[in-house]
Amino acid sequence: MTSEPPMLDALVIGAGPAGIGTALALAAVDDLVFGVVDRGAIGQTFLDWPAEQTFLTPSFTGNGFGATDLNSVHPETSPAFSLGVDYPTGRQYATYLRGVATHFALPLLEGTEVTSVTPRDGGFEVRCSRGPVLARSLVWAGGEFGDPVAPRIAGHPLLDHSSGAAAWESRPGDVVVIGGYESGIDIACHHVRRGSRVTIVDEQSPWDAGSGSDPSFRLAPRSRMRLVAALSTGKLTLVASHAVAVSPTSDGYSTRLGDGRTVTSGSRPIAATGFGPGLGPVEHLFASRGDGWPELDEDDQSTLTPGLFLSGATIRHGGMKFCFVYKFRQRFAHVARVIGDRAGKDVAALEAWRAAGMLTDDLSCCGVECAC
């Protein structure tokens, strides 16, 4: 007769910044029994980044003066300090995450893929490649990188998504990038720097400054600086239109636009069109908002499945996006406190996260704009 595995208080699925950060907050809850699993390695998403890609937000060690490093996942750590760089590459950031997980001795299993999640009385049964796990609460921190979105246009299989290494390889001649927000500007500037002539196509013109100070809706300062430099070379063209079709030609590819124009390239056009929610085996346990993102209650919990929480860049509340580390990390300690309270544990140590500016439980304060 096979006995059931012991019931954990919480299981975190994913060992990127959201998973490691949430686990660190859970570790601050006295006597809480939890674990972390990831189908790959710690920081696998960042290990999979193209080598040329770096962070948009700068790292700087200001912790001792009450200014926690923007890219840190724990108040007492700083990627700038441990790595010695301000804009980490993916591999560098994965090194930081591994160092943090090791230092705080997180209970973590790498190479453990979750294949199914089933709610049951008192919690969840999680089927993994290493066997079943039972947990009263579950935190999905699987990330978005494994869910690239291509534009719904004719010929979309001919596109290279900006998250893949192929999109970053040298492309002499003309290059077309579909999508002009951060990833589009990033990869376009990369190819301009390598000598290519690049056309970015996006009907929303996200390269315009626009209004508001939320960096989730306008380009980061580093991106704007790089954009100005690329435009000054005369090798970058910005087109405020939308792509409707991509087709092969005798010497490359043609991208037809909604206004009737076409732009040509010698290589496959690049889709810089972002990512989906990446919910994997828990997708059926979340309701969807009107915009397709998972619907959450005020505790970042599924409105369909009590006890299932979301952590990371997929979090949306109203019109707010939590798509940078320094944004979604504000919720690690809040989720940990909710889980700890339900388990009857002492959560007082999490107030240190609030003091460090890493615990936000009042979402109404997140939409304040800068005055100048």
Side-chain angles (χ1 to χ4, degrees), residues 53-121:
Q53 196 170 359
T54 63
F55 268 57
L56 292 170
T57 48
S59 288
F60 195 85
T61 307
N63 302 48
F65 297 90
T68 307
D69 191 316
L70 288 177
N71 297 319
S72 68
V73 294
H74 187 280
E76 297 173 3
T77 69
S78 166
F81 174 75
S82 58
L83 300 174
V85 298
D86 51 0
Y87 293 97
T89 64
R91 190 159 291 275
Q92 287 171 333
Y93 195 69
T95 297
Y96 159 73
L97 292 176
R98 180 169 294 278
V100 171
T102 301
H103 178 80
F104 290 97
L106 293 180
L108 190 151
L109 281 177
E110 299 174 88
T112 305
E113 183 168 10
V114 171
T115 56
S116 69
V117 174
T118 306
R120 52 174 284 172
D121 289 343

Short mmCIF file of all heavy atoms in Angstrom, two decimals, residues 53-121:
data_model
loop_
_atom_site.label_atom_id
_atom_site.label_comp_id
_atom_site.label_asym_id
_atom_site.label_seq_id
_atom_site.Cartn_x
_atom_site.Cartn_y
_atom_site.Cartn_z
N GLN A 53 21.07 40.20 -25.13
CA GLN A 53 19.98 40.88 -24.44
C GLN A 53 20.37 41.19 -23.00
O GLN A 53 20.97 40.37 -22.31
CB GLN A 53 18.73 39.99 -24.47
CG GLN A 53 17.45 40.71 -24.13
CD GLN A 53 16.23 39.85 -24.42
OE1 GLN A 53 16.35 38.73 -24.89
NE2 GLN A 53 15.05 40.38 -24.15
N THR A 54 20.02 42.38 -22.55
CA THR A 54 20.32 42.80 -21.18
C THR A 54 19.08 43.43 -20.55
O THR A 54 18.09 43.71 -21.23
CB THR A 54 21.47 43.82 -21.14
OG1 THR A 54 21.07 45.01 -21.83
CG2 THR A 54 22.74 43.26 -21.78
N PHE A 55 19.15 43.67 -19.25
CA PHE A 55 18.05 44.30 -18.52
C PHE A 55 17.84 45.74 -19.00
O PHE A 55 18.78 46.41 -19.44
CB PHE A 55 18.36 44.32 -17.03
CG PHE A 55 17.81 43.13 -16.28
CD1 PHE A 55 18.17 41.84 -16.65
CD2 PHE A 55 16.96 43.29 -15.21
CE1 PHE A 55 17.67 40.74 -15.97
CE2 PHE A 55 16.44 42.20 -14.52
CZ PHE A 55 16.80 40.93 -14.90
N LEU A 56 16.60 46.21 -18.90
CA LEU A 56 16.28 47.60 -19.20
C LEU A 56 16.37 48.47 -17.95
O LEU A 56 16.60 49.67 -18.05
CB LEU A 56 14.85 47.69 -19.76
CG LEU A 56 14.63 47.09 -21.14
CD1 LEU A 56 13.14 47.05 -21.46
CD2 LEU A 56 15.37 47.89 -22.20
N THR A 57 16.15 47.86 -16.79
CA THR A 57 16.21 48.60 -15.53
C THR A 57 17.60 48.45 -14.92
O THR A 57 18.15 47.36 -14.87
CB THR A 57 15.17 48.08 -14.54
OG1 THR A 57 15.24 46.65 -14.49
CG2 THR A 57 13.78 48.48 -14.96
N PRO A 58 18.19 49.54 -14.46
CA PRO A 58 19.56 49.47 -13.93
C PRO A 58 19.62 48.91 -12.52
O PRO A 58 18.72 49.10 -11.71
CB PRO A 58 20.00 50.94 -13.95
CG PRO A 58 18.72 51.70 -13.76
CD PRO A 58 17.65 50.90 -14.48
N SER A 59 20.69 48.20 -12.25
CA SER A 59 20.98 47.75 -10.89
C SER A 59 21.98 48.70 -10.25
O SER A 59 22.94 49.15 -10.89
CB SER A 59 21.58 46.33 -10.92
OG SER A 59 20.60 45.37 -11.23
N PHE A 60 21.73 49.03 -8.99
CA PHE A 60 22.64 49.90 -8.24
C PHE A 60 22.48 49.59 -6.76
O PHE A 60 21.36 49.40 -6.28
CB PHE A 60 22.34 51.39 -8.50
CG PHE A 60 23.46 52.30 -8.07
CD1 PHE A 60 24.52 52.55 -8.92
CD2 PHE A 60 23.45 52.88 -6.83
CE1 PHE A 60 25.56 53.38 -8.53
CE2 PHE A 60 24.49 53.71 -6.43
CZ PHE A 60 25.55 53.96 -7.28
N THR A 61 23.58 49.51 -6.07
CA THR A 61 23.53 49.14 -4.66
C THR A 61 23.28 50.37 -3.79
O THR A 61 24.19 51.13 -3.49
CB THR A 61 24.85 48.46 -4.23
OG1 THR A 61 25.11 47.38 -5.12
CG2 THR A 61 24.73 47.92 -2.82
N GLY A 62 22.01 50.55 -3.40
CA GLY A 62 21.65 51.64 -2.51
C GLY A 62 20.92 51.15 -1.29
O GLY A 62 20.29 51.93 -0.57
N ASN A 63 21.00 49.83 -1.03
CA ASN A 63 20.22 49.21 0.04
C ASN A 63 20.43 49.87 1.40
O ASN A 63 19.49 50.06 2.16
CB ASN A 63 20.57 47.72 0.15
CG ASN A 63 20.33 46.97 -1.15
OD1 ASN A 63 20.75 47.42 -2.21
ND2 ASN A 63 19.67 45.83 -1.09
N GLY A 64 21.67 50.22 1.69
CA GLY A 64 21.98 50.80 3.00
C GLY A 64 21.37 52.16 3.21
O GLY A 64 21.34 52.67 4.34
N PHE A 65 20.86 52.77 2.14
CA PHE A 65 20.25 54.10 2.24
C PHE A 65 18.76 54.04 1.95
O PHE A 65 18.14 55.04 1.60
CB PHE A 65 20.95 55.06 1.27
CG PHE A 65 22.40 55.27 1.60
CD1 PHE A 65 23.37 54.45 1.06
CD2 PHE A 65 22.79 56.25 2.49
CE1 PHE A 65 24.71 54.62 1.38
CE2 PHE A 65 24.12 56.44 2.82
CZ PHE A 65 25.09 55.62 2.26
N GLY A 66 18.18 52.84 2.06
CA GLY A 66 16.75 52.68 1.89
C GLY A 66 16.29 52.61 0.46
O GLY A 66 15.09 52.72 0.19
N ALA A 67 17.22 52.44 -0.49
CA ALA A 67 16.88 52.35 -1.91
C ALA A 67 17.28 50.97 -2.41
O ALA A 67 18.40 50.77 -2.89
CB ALA A 67 17.58 53.44 -2.71
N THR A 68 16.37 50.01 -2.29
CA THR A 68 16.68 48.63 -2.68
C THR A 68 16.90 48.55 -4.18
O THR A 68 16.16 49.12 -4.96
CB THR A 68 15.52 47.70 -2.27
OG1 THR A 68 15.24 47.89 -0.89
CG2 THR A 68 15.88 46.25 -2.52
N ASP A 69 17.95 47.84 -4.56
CA ASP A 69 18.29 47.61 -5.97
C ASP A 69 17.02 47.24 -6.74
O ASP A 69 16.26 46.35 -6.34
CB ASP A 69 19.32 46.48 -6.05
CG ASP A 69 19.94 46.32 -7.42
OD1 ASP A 69 19.21 46.37 -8.43
OD2 ASP A 69 21.16 46.11 -7.49
N LEU A 70 16.78 47.91 -7.87
CA LEU A 70 15.54 47.70 -8.64
C LEU A 70 15.36 46.26 -9.10
O LEU A 70 14.23 45.80 -9.31
CB LEU A 70 15.52 48.61 -9.87
CG LEU A 70 15.30 50.10 -9.64
CD1 LEU A 70 15.39 50.86 -10.96
CD2 LEU A 70 13.95 50.36 -8.98
N ASN A 71 16.44 45.53 -9.27
CA ASN A 71 16.35 44.18 -9.82
C ASN A 71 16.54 43.10 -8.76
O ASN A 71 16.66 41.91 -9.11
CB ASN A 71 17.39 44.00 -10.94
CG ASN A 71 17.13 44.93 -12.11
OD1 ASN A 71 16.00 45.12 -12.50
ND2 ASN A 71 18.18 45.53 -12.64
N SER A 72 16.55 43.47 -7.50
CA SER A 72 16.73 42.47 -6.44
C SER A 72 15.40 41.81 -6.10
O SER A 72 14.33 42.38 -6.32
CB SER A 72 17.32 43.11 -5.18
OG SER A 72 16.39 44.00 -4.59
N VAL A 73 15.48 40.60 -5.56
CA VAL A 73 14.27 39.88 -5.16
C VAL A 73 14.23 39.66 -3.64
O VAL A 73 13.35 38.98 -3.14
CB VAL A 73 14.15 38.53 -5.89
CG1 VAL A 73 13.95 38.75 -7.38
CG2 VAL A 73 15.34 37.63 -5.62
N HIS A 74 15.17 40.24 -2.93
CA HIS A 74 15.21 40.19 -1.47
C HIS A 74 15.80 41.49 -0.97
O HIS A 74 16.76 42.01 -1.56
CB HIS A 74 16.06 39.00 -0.99
CG HIS A 74 16.00 38.78 0.49
ND1 HIS A 74 16.75 39.54 1.37
CD2 HIS A 74 15.29 37.90 1.25
CE1 HIS A 74 16.51 39.13 2.61
NE2 HIS A 74 15.63 38.14 2.56
N PRO A 75 15.25 42.07 0.10
CA PRO A 75 15.69 43.40 0.54
C PRO A 75 17.16 43.50 0.92
O PRO A 75 17.73 44.60 0.92
CB PRO A 75 14.81 43.69 1.76
CG PRO A 75 13.79 42.64 1.84
CD PRO A 75 14.13 41.56 0.89
N GLU A 76 17.79 42.38 1.26
CA GLU A 76 19.18 42.42 1.70
C GLU A 76 20.15 41.97 0.61
O GLU A 76 21.29 41.62 0.90
CB GLU A 76 19.34 41.54 2.95
CG GLU A 76 18.52 42.04 4.14
CD GLU A 76 18.54 41.07 5.30
OE1 GLU A 76 19.25 40.04 5.21
OE2 GLU A 76 17.85 41.33 6.30
N THR A 77 19.71 41.98 -0.64
CA THR A 77 20.59 41.57 -1.74
C THR A 77 20.59 42.64 -2.83
O THR A 77 19.70 43.50 -2.88
CB THR A 77 20.12 40.24 -2.37
OG1 THR A 77 18.88 40.45 -3.06
CG2 THR A 77 19.93 39.17 -1.30
N SER A 78 21.60 42.58 -3.70
CA SER A 78 21.71 43.53 -4.81
C SER A 78 22.47 42.88 -5.96
O SER A 78 23.63 42.52 -5.80
CB SER A 78 22.45 44.80 -4.36
OG SER A 78 22.85 45.57 -5.48
N PRO A 79 21.85 42.73 -7.13
CA PRO A 79 22.59 42.22 -8.28
C PRO A 79 23.80 43.08 -8.63
O PRO A 79 24.83 42.55 -9.06
CB PRO A 79 21.55 42.23 -9.41
CG PRO A 79 20.23 42.16 -8.71
CD PRO A 79 20.42 42.91 -7.42
N ALA A 80 23.68 44.39 -8.45
CA ALA A 80 24.81 45.27 -8.75
C ALA A 80 26.00 44.93 -7.87
O ALA A 80 27.16 44.93 -8.33
CB ALA A 80 24.41 46.73 -8.55
N PHE A 81 25.73 44.63 -6.60
CA PHE A 81 26.82 44.30 -5.68
C PHE A 81 27.42 42.94 -6.01
O PHE A 81 28.64 42.80 -6.11
CB PHE A 81 26.30 44.30 -4.24
CG PHE A 81 27.32 43.82 -3.24
CD1 PHE A 81 28.36 44.65 -2.86
CD2 PHE A 81 27.23 42.56 -2.68
CE1 PHE A 81 29.31 44.22 -1.93
CE2 PHE A 81 28.17 42.12 -1.77
CZ PHE A 81 29.21 42.94 -1.40
N SER A 82 26.57 41.93 -6.19
CA SER A 82 27.09 40.58 -6.38
C SER A 82 27.65 40.35 -7.78
O SER A 82 28.59 39.56 -7.96
CB SER A 82 26.00 39.55 -6.08
OG SER A 82 24.87 39.74 -6.90
N LEU A 83 27.11 41.05 -8.78
CA LEU A 83 27.55 40.85 -10.16
C LEU A 83 28.56 41.89 -10.62
O LEU A 83 29.34 41.65 -11.54
CB LEU A 83 26.35 40.87 -11.11
CG LEU A 83 25.27 39.81 -10.89
CD1 LEU A 83 24.09 40.08 -11.83
CD2 LEU A 83 25.82 38.41 -11.10
N GLY A 84 28.48 43.09 -10.04
CA GLY A 84 29.39 44.16 -10.45
C GLY A 84 29.01 44.79 -11.78
O GLY A 84 29.85 45.37 -12.46
N VAL A 85 27.72 44.70 -12.16
CA VAL A 85 27.25 45.31 -13.41
C VAL A 85 25.95 46.06 -13.14
O VAL A 85 25.26 45.78 -12.15
CB VAL A 85 27.01 44.25 -14.51
CG1 VAL A 85 28.31 43.54 -14.86
CG2 VAL A 85 25.95 43.25 -14.10
N ASP A 86 25.63 47.01 -14.03
CA ASP A 86 24.39 47.76 -13.84
C ASP A 86 23.24 47.22 -14.69
O ASP A 86 22.09 47.25 -14.25
CB ASP A 86 24.60 49.25 -14.11
CG ASP A 86 25.29 49.54 -15.44
OD1 ASP A 86 25.61 48.58 -16.16
OD2 ASP A 86 25.50 50.73 -15.75
N TYR A 87 23.52 46.73 -15.89
CA TYR A 87 22.47 46.14 -16.74
C TYR A 87 22.83 44.68 -17.01
O TYR A 87 23.51 44.37 -17.98
CB TYR A 87 22.35 46.92 -18.06
CG TYR A 87 21.82 48.32 -17.89
CD1 TYR A 87 22.69 49.41 -17.82
CD2 TYR A 87 20.45 48.55 -17.79
CE1 TYR A 87 22.21 50.69 -17.66
CE2 TYR A 87 19.96 49.84 -17.63
CZ TYR A 87 20.84 50.91 -17.56
OH TYR A 87 20.36 52.18 -17.40
N PRO A 88 22.39 43.77 -16.16
CA PRO A 88 22.83 42.37 -16.27
C PRO A 88 22.34 41.71 -17.56
O PRO A 88 21.26 42.03 -18.08
CB PRO A 88 22.17 41.69 -15.06
CG PRO A 88 21.74 42.79 -14.15
CD PRO A 88 21.48 43.97 -15.01
N THR A 89 23.14 40.78 -18.06
CA THR A 89 22.67 39.88 -19.10
C THR A 89 21.80 38.82 -18.44
O THR A 89 21.75 38.70 -17.21
CB THR A 89 23.84 39.19 -19.81
OG1 THR A 89 24.54 38.36 -18.85
CG2 THR A 89 24.81 40.21 -20.39
N GLY A 90 21.14 38.02 -19.24
CA GLY A 90 20.33 36.95 -18.68
C GLY A 90 21.15 35.97 -17.87
O GLY A 90 20.77 35.57 -16.76
N ARG A 91 22.30 35.59 -18.40
CA ARG A 91 23.14 34.61 -17.69
C ARG A 91 23.65 35.19 -16.38
O ARG A 91 23.73 34.49 -15.36
CB ARG A 91 24.29 34.17 -18.58
CG ARG A 91 25.08 32.98 -18.06
CD ARG A 91 25.83 32.29 -19.18
NE ARG A 91 24.93 31.62 -20.10
CZ ARG A 91 24.46 30.40 -19.91
NH1 ARG A 91 24.78 29.72 -18.81
NH2 ARG A 91 23.66 29.86 -20.80
N GLN A 92 23.99 36.46 -16.38
CA GLN A 92 24.44 37.09 -15.13
C GLN A 92 23.32 37.12 -14.10
O GLN A 92 23.56 36.82 -12.91
CB GLN A 92 24.93 38.51 -15.43
CG GLN A 92 26.26 38.56 -16.16
CD GLN A 92 26.61 39.95 -16.64
OE1 GLN A 92 25.74 40.78 -16.89
NE2 GLN A 92 27.90 40.23 -16.78
N TYR A 93 22.11 37.43 -14.53
CA TYR A 93 21.01 37.51 -13.58
C TYR A 93 20.67 36.13 -13.03
O TYR A 93 20.33 35.99 -11.85
CB TYR A 93 19.78 38.15 -14.21
CG TYR A 93 18.76 38.59 -13.19
CD1 TYR A 93 19.02 39.65 -12.33
CD2 TYR A 93 17.55 37.92 -13.05
CE1 TYR A 93 18.11 40.05 -11.38
CE2 TYR A 93 16.62 38.31 -12.10
CZ TYR A 93 16.91 39.38 -11.26
OH TYR A 93 15.99 39.75 -10.31
N ALA A 94 20.78 35.10 -13.85
CA ALA A 94 20.56 33.74 -13.37
C ALA A 94 21.60 33.38 -12.30
O ALA A 94 21.29 32.68 -11.33
CB ALA A 94 20.63 32.75 -14.53
N THR A 95 22.81 33.88 -12.46
CA THR A 95 23.85 33.66 -11.46
C THR A 95 23.46 34.32 -10.14
O THR A 95 23.65 33.75 -9.05
CB THR A 95 25.20 34.22 -11.95
OG1 THR A 95 25.60 33.51 -13.13
CG2 THR A 95 26.28 34.08 -10.88
N TYR A 96 22.92 35.54 -10.22
CA TYR A 96 22.43 36.22 -9.01
C TYR A 96 21.35 35.41 -8.32
O TYR A 96 21.38 35.20 -7.10
CB TYR A 96 21.93 37.61 -9.37
CG TYR A 96 20.97 38.21 -8.36
CD1 TYR A 96 21.42 38.66 -7.12
CD2 TYR A 96 19.61 38.30 -8.65
CE1 TYR A 96 20.53 39.19 -6.19
CE2 TYR A 96 18.72 38.82 -7.73
CZ TYR A 96 19.18 39.26 -6.49
OH TYR A 96 18.30 39.77 -5.57
N LEU A 97 20.36 34.93 -9.09
CA LEU A 97 19.26 34.17 -8.51
C LEU A 97 19.77 32.89 -7.84
O LEU A 97 19.31 32.53 -6.74
CB LEU A 97 18.23 33.81 -9.58
CG LEU A 97 17.43 34.98 -10.16
CD1 LEU A 97 16.52 34.48 -11.29
CD2 LEU A 97 16.60 35.68 -9.09
N ARG A 98 20.70 32.22 -8.48
CA ARG A 98 21.25 31.00 -7.87
C ARG A 98 21.99 31.32 -6.58
O ARG A 98 21.89 30.61 -5.58
CB ARG A 98 22.18 30.29 -8.86
CG ARG A 98 22.80 29.01 -8.29
CD ARG A 98 23.50 28.20 -9.36
NE ARG A 98 22.56 27.68 -10.33
CZ ARG A 98 21.84 26.58 -10.15
NH1 ARG A 98 21.94 25.89 -9.01
NH2 ARG A 98 21.03 26.17 -11.10
N GLY A 99 22.72 32.42 -6.59
CA GLY A 99 23.44 32.81 -5.38
C GLY A 99 22.50 33.12 -4.22
O GLY A 99 22.75 32.72 -3.08
N VAL A 100 21.40 33.79 -4.52
CA VAL A 100 20.41 34.11 -3.48
C VAL A 100 19.75 32.83 -2.96
O VAL A 100 19.61 32.65 -1.74
CB VAL A 100 19.35 35.08 -4.04
CG1 VAL A 100 18.21 35.24 -3.06
CG2 VAL A 100 19.97 36.44 -4.33
N ALA A 101 19.36 31.95 -3.87
CA ALA A 101 18.71 30.70 -3.46
C ALA A 101 19.64 29.86 -2.60
O ALA A 101 19.21 29.23 -1.61
CB ALA A 101 18.28 29.91 -4.70
N THR A 102 20.93 29.85 -2.94
CA THR A 102 21.91 29.08 -2.17
C THR A 102 22.15 29.72 -0.81
O THR A 102 22.18 29.03 0.22
CB THR A 102 23.23 28.98 -2.94
OG1 THR A 102 22.99 28.34 -4.20
CG2 THR A 102 24.27 28.19 -2.15
N HIS A 103 22.31 31.04 -0.78
CA HIS A 103 22.59 31.73 0.47
C HIS A 103 21.48 31.53 1.49
O HIS A 103 21.76 31.31 2.69
CB HIS A 103 22.78 33.22 0.20
CG HIS A 103 23.02 34.03 1.44
ND1 HIS A 103 24.25 34.10 2.06
CD2 HIS A 103 22.18 34.78 2.20
CE1 HIS A 103 24.17 34.87 3.13
NE2 HIS A 103 22.92 35.30 3.25
N PHE A 104 20.23 31.58 1.03
CA PHE A 104 19.10 31.44 1.94
C PHE A 104 18.59 30.01 2.05
O PHE A 104 17.56 29.76 2.67
CB PHE A 104 17.97 32.38 1.53
CG PHE A 104 18.29 33.84 1.75
CD1 PHE A 104 18.77 34.63 0.72
CD2 PHE A 104 18.13 34.42 3.00
CE1 PHE A 104 19.06 35.98 0.91
CE2 PHE A 104 18.42 35.76 3.21
CZ PHE A 104 18.89 36.54 2.17
N ALA A 105 19.33 29.08 1.44
CA ALA A 105 19.04 27.63 1.56
C ALA A 105 17.59 27.30 1.25
O ALA A 105 16.90 26.63 2.03
CB ALA A 105 19.43 27.13 2.95
N LEU A 106 17.11 27.77 0.11
CA LEU A 106 15.72 27.50 -0.26
C LEU A 106 15.53 26.02 -0.59
O LEU A 106 16.37 25.41 -1.24
CB LEU A 106 15.33 28.35 -1.48
CG LEU A 106 15.27 29.86 -1.26
CD1 LEU A 106 14.86 30.56 -2.57
CD2 LEU A 106 14.30 30.22 -0.15
N PRO A 107 14.40 25.44 -0.18
CA PRO A 107 14.10 24.03 -0.49
C PRO A 107 13.62 23.91 -1.93
O PRO A 107 12.44 24.12 -2.23
CB PRO A 107 13.00 23.68 0.51
CG PRO A 107 12.31 24.98 0.79
CD PRO A 107 13.37 26.05 0.69
N LEU A 108 14.52 23.62 -2.85
CA LEU A 108 14.24 23.76 -4.27
C LEU A 108 14.69 22.53 -5.05
O LEU A 108 15.77 21.98 -4.81
CB LEU A 108 14.96 25.01 -4.79
CG LEU A 108 14.67 25.52 -6.19
CD1 LEU A 108 14.86 27.03 -6.23
CD2 LEU A 108 15.58 24.87 -7.21
N LEU A 109 13.86 22.09 -5.97
CA LEU A 109 14.19 20.98 -6.86
C LEU A 109 14.20 21.48 -8.30
O LEU A 109 13.19 21.95 -8.82
CB LEU A 109 13.17 19.85 -6.74
CG LEU A 109 13.29 18.90 -5.54
CD1 LEU A 109 12.14 17.89 -5.57
CD2 LEU A 109 14.63 18.17 -5.55
N GLU A 110 15.37 21.40 -8.94
CA GLU A 110 15.48 21.72 -10.35
C GLU A 110 15.17 20.46 -11.16
O GLU A 110 15.12 19.36 -10.65
CB GLU A 110 16.87 22.24 -10.66
CG GLU A 110 17.24 23.51 -9.91
CD GLU A 110 18.68 23.93 -10.11
OE1 GLU A 110 18.94 24.67 -11.08
OE2 GLU A 110 19.54 23.52 -9.31
N GLY A 111 14.95 20.65 -12.46
CA GLY A 111 14.69 19.51 -13.32
C GLY A 111 13.43 18.75 -12.93
O GLY A 111 13.36 17.53 -13.08
N THR A 112 12.43 19.46 -12.44
CA THR A 112 11.18 18.85 -11.96
C THR A 112 10.01 19.53 -12.66
O THR A 112 9.59 20.62 -12.28
CB THR A 112 11.06 18.99 -10.44
OG1 THR A 112 12.22 18.44 -9.81
CG2 THR A 112 9.82 18.27 -9.93
N GLU A 113 9.49 18.88 -13.68
CA GLU A 113 8.42 19.47 -14.48
C GLU A 113 7.05 19.12 -13.90
O GLU A 113 6.77 17.96 -13.59
CB GLU A 113 8.49 19.00 -15.92
CG GLU A 113 7.44 19.64 -16.81
CD GLU A 113 7.66 19.40 -18.27
OE1 GLU A 113 8.53 18.58 -18.62
OE2 GLU A 113 6.97 20.04 -19.09
N VAL A 114 6.22 20.14 -13.78
CA VAL A 114 4.83 19.94 -13.34
C VAL A 114 3.99 19.59 -14.56
O VAL A 114 3.97 20.33 -15.55
CB VAL A 114 4.29 21.20 -12.65
CG1 VAL A 114 2.80 21.07 -12.39
CG2 VAL A 114 5.04 21.45 -11.35
N THR A 115 3.31 18.46 -14.51
CA THR A 115 2.50 18.00 -15.64
C THR A 115 1.01 18.24 -15.44
O THR A 115 0.27 18.37 -16.42
CB THR A 115 2.75 16.51 -15.90
OG1 THR A 115 2.47 15.77 -14.70
CG2 THR A 115 4.20 16.27 -16.30
N SER A 116 0.54 18.29 -14.20
CA SER A 116 -0.88 18.56 -13.96
C SER A 116 -1.07 19.08 -12.54
O SER A 116 -0.27 18.78 -11.64
CB SER A 116 -1.73 17.31 -14.17
OG SER A 116 -1.48 16.34 -13.17
N VAL A 117 -2.12 19.86 -12.37
CA VAL A 117 -2.49 20.40 -11.06
C VAL A 117 -3.99 20.14 -10.87
O VAL A 117 -4.81 20.54 -11.70
CB VAL A 117 -2.20 21.91 -10.95
CG1 VAL A 117 -2.72 22.46 -9.64
CG2 VAL A 117 -0.70 22.17 -11.09
N THR A 118 -4.33 19.50 -9.75
CA THR A 118 -5.72 19.17 -9.49
C THR A 118 -6.12 19.65 -8.10
O THR A 118 -5.50 19.26 -7.10
CB THR A 118 -5.95 17.64 -9.56
OG1 THR A 118 -5.49 17.16 -10.83
CG2 THR A 118 -7.42 17.30 -9.38
N PRO A 119 -7.12 20.53 -8.00
CA PRO A 119 -7.61 20.91 -6.66
C PRO A 119 -8.21 19.70 -5.95
O PRO A 119 -8.81 18.82 -6.59
CB PRO A 119 -8.70 21.96 -6.98
CG PRO A 119 -8.40 22.44 -8.35
CD PRO A 119 -7.82 21.26 -9.07
N ARG A 120 -8.02 19.65 -4.65
CA ARG A 120 -8.60 18.58 -3.84
C ARG A 120 -8.94 19.16 -2.48
O ARG A 120 -8.59 20.31 -2.18
CB ARG A 120 -7.62 17.41 -3.69
CG ARG A 120 -6.23 17.81 -3.21
CD ARG A 120 -5.36 16.61 -2.93
NE ARG A 120 -5.73 15.98 -1.67
CZ ARG A 120 -5.22 14.81 -1.26
NH1 ARG A 120 -4.38 14.14 -2.01
NH2 ARG A 120 -5.57 14.31 -0.09
N ASP A 121 -9.63 18.39 -1.66
CA ASP A 121 -10.01 18.88 -0.34
C ASP A 121 -8.77 19.34 0.43
O ASP A 121 -7.82 18.56 0.61
CB ASP A 121 -10.72 17.78 0.45
CG ASP A 121 -12.12 17.49 -0.09
OD1 ASP A 121 -12.63 18.34 -0.84
OD2 ASP A 121 -12.67 16.43 0.24
#
